[in-house]
């Protein structure tokens, strides 16, 4: 009896899921989501930001429990892949900083297509054409330096300055192999300056770290006062707390990274997942993201306080196709310049 | 031909052995159903927790993309991967030296603590156990800031008095340094627990013949301690091979790979878990070699030192030398625990991390923030509960398995040893994936709960308990148990009243090690955790990643305090009991 | 205490390819003390462990009081056999006091606490350990620990007492004292006892019957005197006491005596007790047969007055060691080197001596 009801329920829910490409009927989705009662969200954002989002969510959808889990990109992707391999996905909504993985997930048929009403509010370049994913936030990957250890006149202006002898033994960055953010930066750099750039860094006693947090620690501590790149929201967050840091927006261009947002086809709470996606790119939440030092793709929510207008900067974007294709060989070659076969 | 006659006799022997094992199994089932249920239950539990997930990973390794047609490609491609040999060389170099240096630190310390009249023994023991509580990533961060070539505290201090560090922190030697001071407690604890059990009459006999103290240590005590020594060496060697966090942090900066970081590279971006088992094969091979060596070095001799001929354990009087020994022990504890922890303590009181220490820069704000975060409380409670139960279950399960392996002829004992040992050197990430594959489905649908973290800890650390319990049982003459059986006690009662109390020293050491190492576990916890199942290490890690280093340090300090106090409490409770013997 | 009778029938045990116990048949009567004697690896301890139930047989049966407790198919667990056992390494539990060690078996039996206390005290006094019940084993000497082990085994009134080299870890004087004490206890309590040792003197003191074991087999089971005087095999002869082993061939048989040609300068005449031969049934002692003989050193008369000329030999002294009460002398007679014990006044001036071996001093081995 119970199982028949369950099957009926599943059928009803399935009917409630709208056909791809069509703007969704959020009313029906919300009713179905209320029945699901819960939604699990893996987010790479800080726990504090997630908690603020959850507060707003609780007011808006009191019947649906938002279980938010802070999982950095490096841990999130393996977790999701493991669930996927076990053929029992537990996550409903995920966002992380590795656009190429979202592109791959879409192509492999892992993601559900969902034309969220709020997708319309985002510029086309920030929404996947099949609506598998969209940008929940944007950040930049400028250089960073310790203002107490580096004099203003000594600050590098261009990314290509980093290979100058002057900066020997002073620079640090995360390896593209484990820090998803670094890959687009190094890919664009190699596209522009060739592998000479990477070789130059390696010969300049450049220090590699595993992630963005570790890079910022090195810069703050002064062990390596110049970071070749770090996430803009981290830099501004630290500056707001009074840390002696400043970003370097390179004259030869600063890479932009989108944090994408999507839901698996096999999500256990498909309707609640869709509700959450639309919610996360709503004006209210996007304003919240901006307050926490992220740029928003939406035009109607302004920019982070410490951030320059995007239009004032030379912005670089890596090509997703190239990100997927170049990946393995690129990492191998990168490692080999650093003496790691 | 010799070969022709050899083969059938070998087969015949194996068949006879199996037959005798099966008949023992049948007898046990009929005559001692409780013993049968416990032993076989333990074997099944081990097979389920370890054999099933790892077996699944291996099976996936034979399939295209993990669920396609059968293939050998995954295994072949792993071994064709460039740089694997270099990584292997680095791993061996680092593990060998780490093991050697750990021996140099741990053997004198263990002897001083277990056999002499040196003061402050409990403090030294608890401190070396607490070394284990500090999460590896924090240890590495601390060492980088102490020994960093540009701004490291120790580096600058040495420069100010005209000295230079003998090695770079970002190098293989730097990693050996960090690992040695991180892992030496493994040898220290295996040795102290074995030495405390030793029949003092052996040493007294040597003393009567006129051998000096050092000579006695060298020619009597150490050879008797061989099983414990070998186990300790194996634990340090395998653990330094299997570690990932520290080699990754230092290896990247020092521009070298070890096996684990190479394996990580292999199945990252996009994750290819079907390669995991194949890539872990070299590490498993070392486990097998270690088990085989242990069996063959120690298998033929009897090392029962708890023989039933009780002798009073009189501490060796060191005279003035006890202060020298104490200085040595304190120096090791200072470097391994005090130095890294002090950097944390300092950081936790800074208002602006990275800036020099000054009055304006000091605050307790970070601690106020923690006091306000409910997630810290729940993480502490989760961590303590998980570690407590994992340590307890590991010890009990290991005793049952070890008893089955050492005291019965039931077939499949070798496989059980293998299952207990293999996860130890298996990369945690791959292990976690294997566990998810199994424990996300009914009937064991525990993914997302504390239970899967608990299972992860048990699986990863059962090897500790297994090795300690096995050493302790090897030291215990079977007659101790037989004497009870003759007097009418059943198996369970004998285990409860005789065996377990007599194994207490070794089991307690295993318990404390597993408890402390579980408190700090990060790799699996961070893949497994969902709301409500954060552990201490996860919270610290996330704060560090968020860049709030002062708060992260403060939480680390609080967690360390809690861990240190619990280890000290447990140690002193158990320590009392051991001295009664 | 009601004591049991122990029977082993065709008992066998293999470890891998090694046969540790090979078709052993043995009956220990109620109240009898039987000692299994042999060198290490002869299977005596395995036999004991089979009886205890620590090892399961590959063949044969064990009966205690007529009840089958072990066969290749079925074994009764140790704790249900009602036996007591004392181990070579004492196996007193270091984490329990002397009292607690002794009381363990009584507690298992579920006796009321008052009885446990009373019986424990009684057992302590039985082994002369009054007043030491509160101590821990580490505070006792080796001998005291073994007394505790003995008390612990006896207090539960076992129907059968097994002892596995119980004295071999003690020093010599204590060992001698304890032998007699154990024998005394066994007699007093009329214990059925199976005792394993490699020490022949211990065996002589403790045993009603000695069973000499060799490579898993029983070579001979007989009272101590018979084992010494009438060994069945070369192994028994040489393992128990000193013996001169002499090979020979029967030349003549008459009047319950056999004349045997050996490597010595002349033939020897051997008395056949009761006119019977010790050879296995069906293998009659006949002229032309090769036999092994033994002569105990103390049965040889050196230098003394000759008898009828029979069994008198002459040889040269190879070695002479003064032992206080006597000389240990090796005399070469023909091809045979004969060890003999000469009185201390029998110190021949030159190197040639006359040696007399009475006809009763020869013993023909079965095999």
């Amino acid at each position: 009896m119970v199982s028949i009801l369950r099957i009926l329920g599943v059928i009803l829910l399935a009917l409630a899921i709208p056909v791809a490409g069509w703007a969704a009927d959020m009313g029906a989705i919300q009713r179905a989501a209320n029945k699901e009662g819960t939604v699990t969200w893996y987010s790479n954002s800080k726990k504090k930001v997630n908690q603020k989002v959850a507060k707003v969510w609780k007011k808006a959808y009191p019947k649906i429990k938002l279980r938010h889990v802070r999982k950095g990109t490096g841990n999130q992707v393996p977790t999701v892949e493991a669930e996927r391999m076990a053929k029992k996905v537990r996550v409903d909504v995920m966002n992380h900083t590795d656009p190429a993985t979202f592109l791959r997930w879409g192509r492999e048929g892992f993601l559900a297509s969902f034309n969220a009403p709020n997708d319309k509010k985002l510029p086309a370049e920030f929404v996947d054409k099949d609506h598998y994913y969209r940008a929940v936030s944007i950040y930049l990957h400028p250089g960073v330096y310790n203002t107490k250890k580096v004099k203003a006149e000594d600050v590098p202006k261009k990314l290509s300055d980093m290979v100058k002898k002057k900066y020997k033994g002073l620079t640090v960055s995360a390896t593209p192999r484990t820090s998803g953010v670094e890959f687009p930066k190094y890919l664009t750099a190699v596209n522009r300056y060739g592998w000479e750039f990477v070789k130059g860094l390696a010969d300049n006693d450049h220090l590699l770290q595993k992630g963005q947090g570790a890079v910022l620690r090195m810069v703050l501590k002064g062990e390596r006062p110049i970071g070749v790149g770090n996430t803009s929201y981290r830099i501004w967050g630290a500056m707001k707390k009074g840390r002696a840091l400043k970003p370097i927006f390179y004259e030869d261009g600063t890479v932009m990274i989108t944090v994408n947002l999507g839901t698996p086809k096999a999500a256990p709470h498909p309707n609640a997942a869709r509700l959450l996606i639309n919610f996360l790119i709503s004006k209210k939440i996007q304003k919240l993201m901006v307050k926490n030092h992220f740029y928003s793709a939406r035009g109607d929510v302004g920019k982070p306080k410490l951030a320059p207008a995007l239009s004032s900067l030379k912005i670089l974007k890596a090509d997703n196709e190239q990100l997927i294709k170049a990946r393995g060989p690129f990492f191998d070659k990168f490692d080999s310049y650093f003496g790691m076969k | 031909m010799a070969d022709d006659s050899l083969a059938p006799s070998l087969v015949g022997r194996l068949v006879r052995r199996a037959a005798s094992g099966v008949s023992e199994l049948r007898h046990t089932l009929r005559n001692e159903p409780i013993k049968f249920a416990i032993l076989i239950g333990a074997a099944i539990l081990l097979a389920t927790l370890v054999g099933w997930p790892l077996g699944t990973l291996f099976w996936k390794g034979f399939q295209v993309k993990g669920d396609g047609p059968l293939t050998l490609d995954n295994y072949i491609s792993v071994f064709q991967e460039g740089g694997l040999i270099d990584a292997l060389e680095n791993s061996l170099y680092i593990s060998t030296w780490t093991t050697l240096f750990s021996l140099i630190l741990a053997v004198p310390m263990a002897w001083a603590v277990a056999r002499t009249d040196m003061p402050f023994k409990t403090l030294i023991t608890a401190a070396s156990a607490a070394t284990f509580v500090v999460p590896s990533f924090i240890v590495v961060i601390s060492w980088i800031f102490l020994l960093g070539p540009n701004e490291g505290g120790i580096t600058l201090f040495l420069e100010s008095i005209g000295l230079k560090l003998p090695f770079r922190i970002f190098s293989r030697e730097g990693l050996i340094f960090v690992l040695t001071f991180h892992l030496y407690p493994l040898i220290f604890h295996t040795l102290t627990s074995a030495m405390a059990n030793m029949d003092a009459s052996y040493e007294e006999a040597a003393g009567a013949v006129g051998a000096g103290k050092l000579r006695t240590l060298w020619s009597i005590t150490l050879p008797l301690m061989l099983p414990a020594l070998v186990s300790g060496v194996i634990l340090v060697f395998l653990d330094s091979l299997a570690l990932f966090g520290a080699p990754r942090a230092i290896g990247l900066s020092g521009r070298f790979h070890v096996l684990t970081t190479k394996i990580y590279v292999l199945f990252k971006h996009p994750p290819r878990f079907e390669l995991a088992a194949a890539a872990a094969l070299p590490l498993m091979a070392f486990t097998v070699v270690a088990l085989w060596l242990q069996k063959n070095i120690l298998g033929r001799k009897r090392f029962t030192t708890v023989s039933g001929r009780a002798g009073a354990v009189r501490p060796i009087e060191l005279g003035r030398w006890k202060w020298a020994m104490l200085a040595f022990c304190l120096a090791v504890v200072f470097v391994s625990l005090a130095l890294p922890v002090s950097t944390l303590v300092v950081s936790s009181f800074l208002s602006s991390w990275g800036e020099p220490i000054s009055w304006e820069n000091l605050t307790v704000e970070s601690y106020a923030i923690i006091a306000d975060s409910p997630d810290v409380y729940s993480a502490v409670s989760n961590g303590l509960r998980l570690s407590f139960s994992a340590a307890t279950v590991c010890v009990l399960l290991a005793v049952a398995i070890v008893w089955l392996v050492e005291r019965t002829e039931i077939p499949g004992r070798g496989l059980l040893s293998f299952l207990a040992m293999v996860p130890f050197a298996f990369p945690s990430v791959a292990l976690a994936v294997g566990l998810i594959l199994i424990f996300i489905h009914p009937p064991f649908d525990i993914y997302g709960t504390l239970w899967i973290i608990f299972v992860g800890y048990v699986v990863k650390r059962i090897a500790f308990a297994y090795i300690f319990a096995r050493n302790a049982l090897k030291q215990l003459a079977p007659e101790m148990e037989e004497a009870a059986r003759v007097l009418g006690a059943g198996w369970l009662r004998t285990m409860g009243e005789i065996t377990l109390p007599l194994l207490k020293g070794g089991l307690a050491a295993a318990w404390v090690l597993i408890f402390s190492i579980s408190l700090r576990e990060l790799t699996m916890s961070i893949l497994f955790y969902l709301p409500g199942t954060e552990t201490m290490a996860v919270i610290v890690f996330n704060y560090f990643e968020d860049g709030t280093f002062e708060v992260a340090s403060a939480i680390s300090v609080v967690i360390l305090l809690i861990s240190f106090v619990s280890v000290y409490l447990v140690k002193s409770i158990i320590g009392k009991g051991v001295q009664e013997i | 205490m009601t004591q049991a009778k122990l029977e082993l029938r065709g008992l066998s045990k293999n470890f891998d390819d090694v046969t540790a116990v090979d078709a052993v048949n043995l009956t220990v009567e109620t109240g009898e003390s039987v000692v299994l004697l042999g060198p290490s690896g002869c299977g005596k301890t395995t036999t004991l462990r089979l009886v205890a139930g620590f090892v399961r047989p590959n063949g044969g049966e064990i009966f205690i009081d007529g009840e089958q407790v072990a066969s290749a198919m079925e074994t009764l667990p140790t704790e249900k056999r009602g036996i007591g056992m004392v181990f070579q390494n004492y196996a007193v539990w270091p984490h329990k006091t002397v009292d607690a060690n002794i009381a363990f078996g009584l507690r298992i039996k579920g006796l009321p606490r008052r009885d446990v206390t009373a019986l424990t005290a009684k057992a302590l006094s039985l082994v002369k350990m009054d007043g030491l019940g509160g101590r821990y084993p580490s505070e006792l000497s080796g001998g005291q620990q073994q007394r505790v082990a003995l008390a612990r085994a006896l207090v539960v009134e076992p129907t059968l007492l097994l002892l596995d080299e119980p004295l071999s870890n003690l020093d010599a004087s204590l060992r001698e004292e304890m032998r007699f004490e154990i024998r005394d206890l066994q007699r007093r309590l009329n214990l059925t006892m199976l005792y394993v040792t490699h020490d022949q003197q211990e065996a002589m003191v403790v045993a009603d019957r000695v069973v000499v074991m060799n490579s898993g087999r029983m070579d001979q089971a007989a009272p101590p005197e018979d084992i010494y005087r009438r060994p069945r095999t070369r192994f028994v002869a040489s393992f128990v006491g000193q013996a001169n082993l002499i090979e020979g061939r029967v030349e003549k048989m008459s009047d319950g005596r056999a004349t045997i040609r050996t490597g010595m300068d002349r033939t020897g005449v051997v008395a056949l007790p009761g006119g019977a031969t010790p050879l296995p049934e069906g293998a009659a002692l006949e002229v032309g047969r090769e036999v092994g003989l033994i002569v105990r050193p103390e049965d040889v008369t050196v230098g003394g007055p000759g008898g009828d000329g029979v069994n008198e030999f002459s040889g040269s002294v190879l070695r002479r060691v003064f032992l206080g009460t006597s000389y240990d002398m090796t005399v070469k007679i023909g091809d045979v080197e004969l060890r003999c014990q000469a009185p201390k006044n029998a110190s021949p001036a030159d190197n040639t001596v006359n040696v007399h071996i009475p006809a009763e001093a020869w013993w023909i081995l079965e095999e």
Side-chain angles (χ1 to χ4, degrees), chain A residues 13-27:
Chain A
L13 294 183
L15 288 176
I17 298 168
V19 183
W22 292 77
D25 170 4
M26 289 313 287

Side-chain angles (χ1 to χ4, degrees), chain A residues 42 46-47 67-71 74-75 77-79 81-83 85-88 90 98 104 148-149 169 175 177-178 202 205-210 213 217-218 220-224 234 241 243-244 327 331 335 338-341, chain B residues 60 67 83 86 141 144-145 148-152 170 248 252-253 255-257 262 264-265 268-271 273-274 351-355 375 436-437 440-442 445 447 526-527 529-531 534 541-542 544-546 548-550:
Chain A
Y42 294 172
K46 281 192 197 185
K47 190 163 183 174
R67 305 171 77 217
H68 56 92
V69 191
R70 184 243 200 270
K71 276 189 197 282
N75 291 312
V77 175
T79 308
E81 292 285 358
E83 293 179 10
M85 190 173 192
K87 301 202 165 59
K88 194 159 178 190
R90 286 299 171 81
D98 187 359
R104 174 172 61 84
K148 293 200 170 162
K149 302 272 175 190
T175 172
R177 172 116 33 203
T178 54
D205 191 22
H206 179 75
L207 192 71
L208 285 183
Q209 294 287 293
K210 70 184 165 75
R217 276 201 296 279
M218 284 288 176
L220 262 175
K221 193 79 187 176
E223 179 64 45
R224 293 288 169 136
R234 272 197 181 84
K241 284 189 204 152
R243 297 301 139 80
R327 185 155 246 164
F331 293 161
D335 280 358
F338 276 86
M340 288 189 287
K341 274 182 257 170
Chain B
K60 300 260 180 211
D67 57 0
D86 282 345
I141 289 172
I144 288 177
F145 289 134
N150 292 345
E151 292 284 324
F170 300 125
R248 177 154 81 136
L252 262 175
S253 307
R255 302 182 181 181
F256 61 88
H257 267 303
K262 191 76 198 168
Y264 185 73
V265 160
K268 180 114 182 148
H269 285 303
F273 299 134
E274 67 271 17
S351 58
S352 185
W353 192 89
E355 313 250 325
D375 51 344
I436 290 177
L437 289 180
I440 200 169
H441 294 294
D445 184 6
Y447 178 66
I526 203 150
L527 285 182
Y529 92 95
L530 282 170
E534 284 106 329
F541 180 82
N542 280 339
F544 265 109
E545 284 304 287
D546 292 346
T548 31
F549 307 123
E550 307 82 10

Side-chain angles (χ1 to χ4, degrees), chain B residues 23-90:
Chain B
S23 110
E24 175 169 356
L25 209 56
R26 201 168 47 83
H27 278 96
T28 314
L29 174 60
R30 199 175 311 164
N31 293 319
E32 304 174 276
I34 294 175
K35 172 179 167 185
F36 183 87
I38 289 176
L39 292 185
I40 301 306
I44 291 173
L45 190 60
L46 189 67
T48 310
L49 295 186
V50 179
W52 195 9
L54 293 192
T56 307
L57 274 186
F58 272 95
W59 178 242
K60 300 260 180 211
F62 285 112
Q63 290 175 299
V64 177
K65 286 196 157 192
D67 57 0
L70 293 185
T71 173
L72 271 175
D73 291 356
N74 292 328
Y75 289 88
I76 293 168
S77 75
V78 162
F79 288 99
Q80 283 174 341
E81 176 75 20
L84 198 69
I85 299 297
D86 282 345
L88 183 69
E89 265 180 35
N90 285 332

Side-chain angles (χ1 to χ4, degrees), chain B residues 161-232:
Chain B
I161 56 171
L163 291 175
K164 249 187 87 181
L165 270 181
F167 58 88
R168 255 173 78 97
I169 180 71
F170 300 125
S171 68
R172 301 193 301 177
E173 290 71 26
L175 183 57
I176 291 170
F177 173 84
V178 171
L179 290 184
T180 299
F181 281 95
H182 195 49
L183 297 180
Y184 83 89
L186 286 175
I187 296 183
F188 173 77
H189 285 276
T190 38
L191 276 185
T192 44
S193 68
M195 280 189 188
N197 274 346
M198 203 182 96
D199 190 335
S201 59
Y202 292 106
E203 278 181 356
E204 277 157 19
V209 189
K213 279 165 189 138
L214 266 182
R215 180 92 184 272
T216 309
L217 172 67
W218 184 251
S219 57
I220 306 289
T221 316
L222 279 184
L224 275 173
M225 292 299 108
L226 198 61
L229 207 59
V230 170
S231 312

